[in-house]
Amino acid sequence: MHWYGSVPRKPFISTNVHLTADGVPVIYHDFGMRTAPQGKNITKAEQLQYVLIKDINYEKLKQLRVFAIINGKPVEFPSHNAEPRVEHRIFPKLVDVLEGLPKSLGIDVEIKWPQRRASGAPEAHQTIDKNFFTDRVLATVINHGCGRPLLFSSFDADICTMLRFKQNLFPVMFLTQGQTKKWSPFMDLRTRTVEQAINNAQAFELAGTAPHAEDLLSEEGAQLLQKARDLGQISLVWGDDCNSKERVQYFVEIGATATCYDRTDLYIPEGKERAFFNSSSLLAEFEEQCLR
């Protein structure tokens, strides 16, 4: 992710945060994973079972065998404890990410909460209390994430509101997939269009929205981003449609505050990475963020 603000092209990373059954915030993209018992020989996808992170204690989560389906075949990832390179292990704790990465690197802490599709089917089942979830993540971030560029985001409009009114240190962005042909729409009308997301962000004093790039490729894209700017909002554009230099430049030109895309190493100017991580002025900007 590149952030366009007072310091040009600030790099951020995006993290997807879940809560385990025993209340540990962990980083993982999906709501659950395919797994199998230890020692069982797996040759086809039908042998795997799907389990949700919210149903597993952290210590048990680390011991799970985790599989992906690649070209129709199950492929096992190295287990958490067997992988000697800590940074390559799956299911890192949020606290480890906050403490292990340079403080000059910005972090987008996305709270993963399953949405209900317009058809009525949920993305996944969730039984953890929303207040407990947000409080656990907030405690981790406030105790270990101060002094760096950091923002919260979520596809869940109510979680965004909770994050906004439970603290006033870190900005909150409302994620929206808008009008898309890639996925079925969410039931929550606040997520259906970029304009509705902007209105919701304004109503609940959020820093802005994170609209899906596909919804900004039309002639109305620049007008929507202008509306956000007129309201003093930030717009963080994300999605596969950002994954080229030309598209990144396009979204910047029509008014995006930031663009989120894969393989940032392909787009950062030569010499920029080291200059950024050695930036004392950037660190000074955030060092007084959380006073203890």
Side-chain angles (χ1 to χ4, degrees), residues 39-107:
K40 183 176 182 179
N41 183 34
I42 301 298
T43 59
K44 51 187 179 181
E46 292 76 14
Q47 295 174 282
L48 300 172
Q49 62 182 108
Y50 190 79
V51 297
L52 297 172
I53 292 176
K54 60 99 177 177
D55 291 329
I56 307 171
N57 289 347
Y58 181 67
E59 289 303 318
K60 183 177 179 181
L61 183 67
K62 291 194 299 181
Q63 299 168 13
L64 284 183
R65 301 173 67 190
V66 179
F67 294 78
I69 306 301
I70 301 176
N71 296 326
K73 297 181 179 180
V75 177
E76 185 172 3
F77 291 110
S79 68
H80 188 98
N81 292 322
E83 172 55 64
R85 298 164 296 179
V86 176
E87 66 274 13
H88 284 214
R89 294 177 182 173
I90 54 178
F91 308 121
K93 292 189 289 186
L94 176 60
V95 63
D96 294 334
V97 171
L98 293 174
E99 292 183 342
L101 293 176
K103 283 202 171 183
S104 53
L105 177 63
I107 297 179

Side-chain angles (χ1 to χ4, degrees), residues 252-271:
V252 172
E253 289 176 351
I254 68 170
T257 313
T259 52
C260 182
Y261 49 78
D262 300 330
R263 293 296 303 276
T264 57
D265 58 302
L266 297 181
Y267 310 125
I268 295 178
E270 186 177 355

Side-chain angles (χ1 to χ4, degrees), residues 2-258:
H2 275 177
W3 190 273
Y4 295 83
S6 58
V7 178
R9 295 189 176 184
K10 297 178 183 176
F12 274 59
I13 62 166
S14 179
T15 61
N16 298 272
V17 180
H18 301 264
L19 209 63
T20 62
D22 53 341
V24 178
V26 297
I27 309 298
Y28 193 68
H29 182 270
D30 297 339
F31 292 103
M33 76 294 300
R34 296 179 177 89
T35 186
Q38 297 291 342
K40 183 176 182 179
N41 183 34
I42 301 298
T43 59
K44 51 187 179 181
E46 292 76 14
Q47 295 174 282
L48 300 172
Q49 62 182 108
Y50 190 79
V51 297
L52 297 172
I53 292 176
K54 60 99 177 177
D55 291 329
I56 307 171
N57 289 347
Y58 181 67
E59 289 303 318
K60 183 177 179 181
L61 183 67
K62 291 194 299 181
Q63 299 168 13
L64 284 183
R65 301 173 67 190
V66 179
F67 294 78
I69 306 301
I70 301 176
N71 296 326
K73 297 181 179 180
V75 177
E76 185 172 3
F77 291 110
S79 68
H80 188 98
N81 292 322
E83 172 55 64
R85 298 164 296 179
V86 176
E87 66 274 13
H88 284 214
R89 294 177 182 173
I90 54 178
F91 308 121
K93 292 189 289 186
L94 176 60
V95 63
D96 294 334
V97 171
L98 293 174
E99 292 183 342
L101 293 176
K103 283 202 171 183
S104 53
L105 177 63
I107 297 179
D108 169 14
V109 179
E110 179 189 337
I111 307 297
K112 294 286 285 190
W113 192 270
Q115 298 300 293
R116 189 169 295 279
R117 300 288 185 184
S119 63
E123 290 184 293
H125 293 285
Q126 178 59 273
T127 54
I128 298 176
D129 179 75
K130 277 188 180 182
N131 272 297
F132 178 73
F133 194 121
T134 54
D135 287 348
R136 294 290 291 187
V137 175
L138 278 172
T140 301
V141 169
I142 290 173
N143 289 327
H144 303 277
C146 291
R148 70 159 72 247
L150 187 144
L151 60 90
F152 287 109
S153 64
S154 181
F155 281 102
D156 189 90
D158 296 327
I159 280 187
C160 287
T161 302
M162 294 167 72
L163 289 167
R164 167 62 187 89
F165 290 111
K166 284 176 179 284
Q167 56 84 42
N168 60 2
L169 296 171
F170 305 103
V172 181
M173 310 287 292
F174 181 31
L175 272 161
T176 176
Q177 65 180 30
Q179 295 176 305
T180 176
K181 297 179 181 179
K182 299 179 186 291
W183 311 286
S184 59
F186 292 148
M187 182 174 287
D188 191 334
L189 295 178
R190 293 170 291 185
T191 71
R192 295 285 185 88
T193 68
V194 174
E195 186 169 22
Q196 288 282 38
I198 291 172
N199 292 339
N200 181 72
Q202 186 68 11
F204 294 99
E205 302 178 10
L206 306 182
T209 62
H212 186 228
E214 180 189 5
D215 216 9
L216 297 174
L217 293 174
S218 68
E219 294 181 358
E220 297 180 349
Q223 297 175 8
L224 289 168
L225 293 180
Q226 183 62 52
K227 176 180 179 178
R229 286 199 304 276
D230 290 344
L231 293 171
Q233 292 185 18
I234 292 167
S235 299
L236 191 166
V237 182
W238 63 278
D240 292 342
D241 291 300
C242 291
N243 285 336
S244 71
K245 288 185 178 181
E246 293 75 20
R247 281 287 173 80
V248 169
Q249 187 61 36
Y250 163 77
F251 289 118
V252 172
E253 289 176 351
I254 68 170
T257 313

